[in-house]
Amino acid sequence: MAETKAPPITPVRSPDTRAARTVILRRARELALVPALLLLMVLGAVVNDSFLTERNLISILGASAALAMVVLAESLVLITGKFDLSLESVVGIAPAVGALLVLPSAESGWGTGFPAALAMVAILVVGGAVGAFNGILVVKFKLNAFIVTLAMLIVLRGVLVGATKGKTLFGMPDSFFTLATTTFLNVPLSVWLAAVSFAVAGLVLKYHRVGRALYAIGGNADAARAAGIRVDRVMLGVFVVAGVLASVGGIMQTGYVGAISANQGNNMIFTVFAAAVIGGISLDGGKGTMFGALTGVLLLGVVQNLLTLAQVPSFWIQAIYGGIILVALMIARVTTGRAQD
């Protein structure tokens, strides 16, 4: 009688094992940028003797501060599973409105004679209002966030050019430049503000119920609603906060450049998404940390500085950023085990 062999037994991984493996992979993805940053620092020192000087390192941080604020804003929106493409236009229109309120008509302003302090408040209000409008259309009217914010990006870009008549605005009060020009321990206030903002956002996301609500909404909005989370209110608040953060980024950008051009913020959203994605912020929502997003900002800042020192043309820098996004998406596919939607 022929002896029958039992089929080989394949080990089955328990859900706990799979969950632990996923967490480890995600953490590895976030921390993977740290050695990459160190490697770039070494490469920069080899390529150019001035790379590791205090002046150049502070220059990298100062140039990255405005981007960091917008990346923070976009990351919060992405964690909820939504998009906000209009943030790049807020970087331009918000400080421009503030400048037009204080500048006399002889200097292309509106001649309203607003005090500088009130103009700064107006800048934040403009950012919050744009975010609130986006949030109402997305949350209340259930419109597609990508299309809504893309349309808002185009509208605000046109409004900025029309309001400034295509001119570059100069002669604003010193308060428009304070964040970029005032230093503490030789580091601009804009850098300190960006660092504090990331730290606060990271603590809120990790320890506060609002942060846990953001992750829950991004993971499964229906389940979050069933758990008692006020999904619509939280998401609307995130859009408003993102608009305000982007307007602060616009103030930083204005101070760094020393003026407000009619194209301020244009194409910035591509770099923002590059920093967020390589930093581990998932486009599917519900995943990512502020530490990862911050390292993404620093990595792109170092890359741009290196390429600039090497006199690489700016269009190649944009091409490299696009390649970085593609690589990050492939890494995300491997580490998460699922495709991006």
Side-chain angles (χ1 to χ4, degrees):
M1 183 175 179
E3 183 179 351
T4 58
K5 294 183 178 180
I9 299 175
T10 57
V12 179
R13 291 179 179 175
S14 66
D16 291 340
T17 303
R18 290 195 297 269
R21 178 175 178 271
T22 301
V23 170
I24 292 173
L25 286 174
R26 288 175 186 167
R27 180 62 62 183
R29 182 187 171 198
E30 293 166 3
L31 298 178
L33 294 185
V34 175
L37 272 172
L38 296 176
L39 180 61
L40 284 174
M41 300 289 280
V42 173
L43 180 61
V46 173
V47 171
N48 195 300
D49 293 337
S50 64
F51 178 78
L52 285 182
T53 60
E54 178 183 355
R55 181 178 180 181
N56 187 62
L57 294 178
I58 292 177
S59 174
I60 293 174
L61 295 176
S64 303
L67 173 65
M69 296 302 292
V70 185
V71 170
L72 172 57
E74 190 66 61
S75 297
L76 294 175
V77 177
L78 287 174
I79 286 174
T80 65
K82 300 297 182 182
F83 294 85
D84 192 346
L85 304 179
S86 68
L87 294 178
E88 74 164 36
S89 292
V90 174
V91 170
I93 191 64
V97 169
L100 292 170
L101 288 172
V102 298
L103 290 176
S105 53
E107 297 181 16
S108 302
W110 289 336
T112 53
F114 269 46
L118 196 55
M120 300 303 289
V121 174
I123 292 173
L124 302 180
V125 170
V126 170
V130 173
F133 185 74
N134 288 336
I136 290 172
L137 293 181
V138 173
V139 177
K140 299 298 183 182
F141 290 89
K142 308 299 181 184
L143 301 181
N144 183 277
F146 185 91
I147 302 301
V148 166
T149 56
L150 176 62
M152 184 57 67
L153 178 153
I154 298 170
V155 169
L156 295 179
R157 186 176 294 170
V159 170
L160 175 60
V161 175
T164 60
K165 297 181 176 62
K167 300 178 181 178
T168 298
L169 303 178
F170 297 97
M172 285 82 72
D174 292 340
S175 56
F176 279 73
F177 314 110
T178 299
L179 288 177
T181 57
T182 305
T183 61
F184 175 69
L185 300 178
N186 293 331
V187 178
L189 290 182
S190 58
V191 176
W192 290 110
L193 179 57
V196 171
S197 299
F198 267 88
V200 171
L203 291 174
V204 170
L205 287 174
K206 189 171 184 179
Y207 298 109
H208 199 274
R209 58 186 178 84
V210 173
R212 294 191 292 270
L214 295 186
Y215 285 116
I217 293 170
N220 190 321
D222 293 332
R225 189 175 286 108
I229 297 174
R230 297 181 177 180
V231 174
D232 290 356
R233 179 180 296 186
V234 172
M235 290 182 61
L236 182 59
V238 168
F239 274 100
V240 173
V241 170
V244 173
L245 290 173
S247 66
V248 175
I251 298 173
M252 292 179 176
Q253 185 73 9
T254 299
Y256 182 77
V257 176
I260 302 175
S261 65
N263 63 352
Q264 178 163 302
N266 279 15
N267 299 323
M268 188 181 193
I269 199 65
F270 301 115
T271 309
V272 169
F273 269 92
V277 171
I278 66 174
I281 304 295
S282 173
L283 298 180
D284 294 331
K287 306 180 191 71
T289 65
M290 291 301 100
F291 178 79
L294 181 59
T295 54
V297 172
L298 294 176
L299 183 71
L300 291 187
V302 170
V303 168
Q304 182 171 19
N305 184 262
L306 270 175
L307 295 177
T308 301
L309 290 177
Q311 298 182 341
V312 176
S314 60
F315 58 84
W316 282 117
I317 296 177
Q318 293 298 319
I320 291 171
Y321 282 174
I324 290 174
I325 294 177
L326 292 176
V327 172
L329 289 174
M330 288 186 286
I331 293 174
R333 177 66 178 88
V334 173
T335 57
T336 61
R338 54 195 293 256
Q340 296 279 358
D341 293 332

